[in-house]
Amino acid sequence: MTECTYSYEYVISKGTRLFTAVLLPDVKGKFPCVVIRSPYVDSFEKIGEEEICLHYANEFSSWLGHGYAVIYQH
């Protein structure tokens, strides 16, 4: 897995809580950004937010390793 910095928050949109993970390459600077939105959360309903972020960091390690930030929302 590529080293990265991550954070998460819940954004409220029209009364719905949207989990939003922000993953940044582990270097300083500005980054191009990939934004992904998905309605599918079934596989993540029983795990914590930190574990979800680590899953995304692993899944998107190629983009992070090439200097892209990733925002994933569901």
Side-chain angles (χ1 to χ4, degrees):
M1 179 174 80
T2 301
E3 293 295 318
C4 73
T5 302
Y6 64 86
S7 63
Y8 64 88
E9 65 180 84
Y10 286 90
V11 177
I12 306 297
S13 176
K14 297 181 182 178
T16 302
R17 290 174 13 128
L18 302 172
F19 177 80
T20 305
V22 178
L23 303 121
L24 302 173
D26 207 16
V27 295
K28 294 192 183 287
K30 294 182 179 183
F31 314 103
C33 183
V34 177
V35 179
I36 303 164
R37 296 185 78 194
S38 173
Y40 304 107
V41 298
D42 292 343
S43 61
F44 296 115
E45 287 183 327
K46 296 188 188 317
I47 63 174
E49 289 89 346
E50 295 284 329
E51 192 173 348
I52 293 170
C53 288
L54 290 172
H55 171 81
Y56 289 147
N58 188 48
E59 183 174 344
F60 303 120
S61 63
S62 181
W63 282 342
L64 293 163
H66 285 94
Y68 285 83
V70 177
I71 298 174
Y72 196 100
Q73 185 177 67
H74 59 73

